[in-house]
Amino acid sequence: MTTEESLTACPAQRYPFGDVHTLDLEPDYRRAGPVAAVELPSGARGWLVTDHALVRQVLADPRFSREQANRAQVARLSTEVLPTAAILASDPPRHTRLRLLIAPLFSPRRIAAMAPAISVLAHRLVDDLGTTGRRVDLVAGFTDPFAAVVVCELFDVAEQFRERVFALGDALTARDATAESQAEARAEFESLTRAIAAQNPTGLFGRVGESPELDEEVANLIIACLIGGRGSPAVFLSSALFALLRDPRLYRSLVARPELIPAAVEELLRFVPVGVGGGFTRVATDDVQLGPVLVRAGEAVIPAMHAAGRDPLVFADPDTLVLDRGSRVAHLAFGHGTHYCVGAGLARLEARIALEVLVTRLPGLRLADLADTGSWRRGRVVRSLERLEVTWTPA
């Protein structure tokens, strides 16, 4: 049945669902239906989309604008209104031009060339974990530094700047941040990019200072890449390892058959929900029929990629992690369409190498407490483990 009732007139569920967000997707997503009216803590309303085909439609249809969603009154998880120069708040043609600036950094050839160094890093971090029989935090000892070093090496960010870079990134992605604190953090971050460029003007940093307009665009490109390049891979990898270790048979299956790792990475990308809520909100620029709902021009739409990954019409037994489901799992973890993640190739490489090194070096890896349900951070826009306590014994 087609719903033509306006968003403001529909009964709305509170969103995000619940206060604590773990690896397990909230059952409210299944109950919500393919398109449902939701109300965010700000009071703003939007259409939450969970159906796989409809999420793909939202991500690909140019009538759903990210640029128009970058306003304080629109239903969004982040309270920050991004600068107009930010790639994450741009539509084509500006988005296309900005993407072309960073695409060479993530070319398949350049990413492949990073593999040996990433492998060396993973082995060094395992060495630093110490001897068997100890309890260690895999988040602090492996997943966080692994993702942080990889993206900093990619962008030539010197060691002296890294701690501040990621502190500012955390300040910008906190759900409870104020407009004032975020404006202050972004201004400092932009100044920091200029300080880094002055010391080491290579790669994208070498474009800083070419012109006033480009300067702001490049600074915000760097900020987006450093925040996303550290945050999303670290969150995904720690959650993926927790998913494998809470059912020890899954981790042991990769130890026994490491050739399954590429397919396992794709299945983990489908299964692991990185975000607390749906992806970047879009605003309809025209009336658009979206499954059972007529979305009116000006209404907000929230595409929930992680919920689309659990669509039973696309994935058999969707709430079960099946490591050999296949190497071409049709997940939407990296988005779809114009805003498909430019760093997808690097993220896949990081996950593959991390798992290969861990299952080879630590075949006896296990949760320190098999009843551990995870210690999850609050107040973030991602489902982030605070700690992941593990131990291991020789094979």
Side-chain angles (χ1 to χ4, degrees):
M1 182 175 68
T2 299
T3 299
E4 297 190 2
E5 192 174 11
S6 71
L7 176 60
T8 55
C10 286
Q13 299 172 263
R14 290 191 62 79
Y15 189 75
F17 300 127
D19 296 320
V20 179
H21 304 279
T22 69
L23 185 65
D24 299 309
L25 204 61
E26 295 81 7
D28 303 77
Y29 281 102
R30 192 65 54 80
R31 292 194 289 263
V35 185
V38 293
E39 182 175 308
L40 275 75
S42 66
R45 290 188 170 202
W47 294 109
L48 177 69
V49 187
T50 61
D51 175 88
H52 189 280
L54 297 181
V55 169
R56 279 176 58 95
Q57 179 184 339
V58 171
L59 298 177
D61 192 329
R63 292 175 295 175
F64 292 110
S65 167
R66 280 184 43 168
E67 203 163 290
Q68 293 196 24
N70 188 42
R71 297 182 303 220
Q73 70 271 25
V74 173
R76 296 175 298 115
L77 277 181
S78 173
T79 57
E80 182 185 23
V81 176
L82 295 170
T84 56
I87 189 171
L88 297 178
S90 298
D91 295 329
R94 179 198 292 148
H95 175 269
T96 306
R97 179 170 55 79
L98 294 175
R99 190 178 176 96
L100 288 173
L101 284 175
I102 55 173
L105 285 169
F106 296 95
S107 69
R109 179 178 294 181
R110 181 152 197 231
I111 297 307
M114 293 180 67
I118 294 174
S119 181
V120 168
L121 169 63
H123 280 286
R124 177 173 63 77
L125 289 170
V126 170
D127 291 339
D128 292 345
L129 291 176
T131 58
T132 59
R134 299 174 60 235
R135 288 175 69 111
V136 300
D137 175 16
L138 212 56
V139 171
F142 188 88
T143 59
D144 273 5
F146 180 72
V149 170
V150 169
V151 74
C152 284
E153 291 296 319
L154 177 67
F155 281 85
D156 293 321
V157 177
E159 184 73 34
Q160 71 191 80
F161 297 110
R162 295 180 183 183
E163 183 177 350
R164 193 59 191 153
V165 160
F166 297 126
L168 290 169
D170 289 341
L172 286 171
T173 56
R175 283 172 61 192
D176 57 356
T178 64
E180 292 76 15
S181 68
Q182 288 182 324
E184 187 176 306
R186 183 164 290 273
E188 184 180 344
F189 212 147
E190 290 181 7
S191 296
L192 189 61
T193 64
R194 294 175 178 87
I196 298 170
Q199 185 186 86
N200 184 22
T202 59
L204 194 57
F205 282 101
R207 306 296 299 273
V208 172
E210 285 188 8
S211 69
E213 180 181 328
L214 185 62
D215 194 37
E216 185 182 6
E217 290 178 343
V218 170
N220 281 283
L221 270 176
I222 292 170
I223 291 170
C225 289
L226 290 177
I227 292 175
R230 174 247 192 169
S232 295
V235 168
F236 166 72
L237 186 55
S238 59
S239 294
L241 286 167
F242 179 64
L244 293 171
L245 294 173
R246 70 175 181 174
D247 183 349
R249 295 170 300 175
L250 295 173
Y251 187 80
R252 288 197 297 266
S253 69
L254 295 184
V255 171
R257 297 182 60 197
E259 69 274 10
L260 286 178
I261 288 175
V265 167
E266 297 306 311
E267 171 67 352
L268 286 162
L269 286 165
R270 176 196 73 82
F271 183 83
V272 170
V274 171
V276 165
F280 284 94
T281 301
R282 272 75 168 169
V283 165
T285 60
D286 199 353
D287 291 357
V288 182
Q289 189 68 44
L290 192 62
V293 168
L294 178 64
V295 178
R296 302 287 188 180
E299 293 182 340
V301 177
I302 306 167
M305 283 89 82
H306 53 283
R310 304 290 185 92
D311 188 338
L313 297 178
V314 179
F315 307 102
D317 197 10
D319 295 322
T320 300
L321 186 58
V322 182
L323 297 184
D324 58 354
R325 191 180 288 270
S327 60
R328 297 184 62 83
V329 180
H331 61 74
L332 297 172
F334 297 120
H336 177 65
T338 301
H339 284 273
Y340 183 82
C341 178
V342 70
L346 177 59
R348 284 187 165 102
L349 180 68
E350 288 181 63
R352 178 178 62 78
I353 290 175
L355 289 178
E356 287 172 351
V357 170
L358 287 169
V359 302
T360 301
R361 295 285 306 279
L362 303 176
L365 187 69
R366 65 182 187 275
L367 293 178
D369 178 1
L370 289 178
D372 187 7
T373 58
S375 175
W376 299 87
R377 291 188 176 103
R378 293 172 177 262
R380 313 301 301 176
V381 296
V382 292
R383 296 168 188 255
S384 179
L385 278 164
E386 188 88 48
R387 299 178 61 81
L388 181 56
E389 296 275 350
V390 298
T391 189
W392 62 95
T393 53

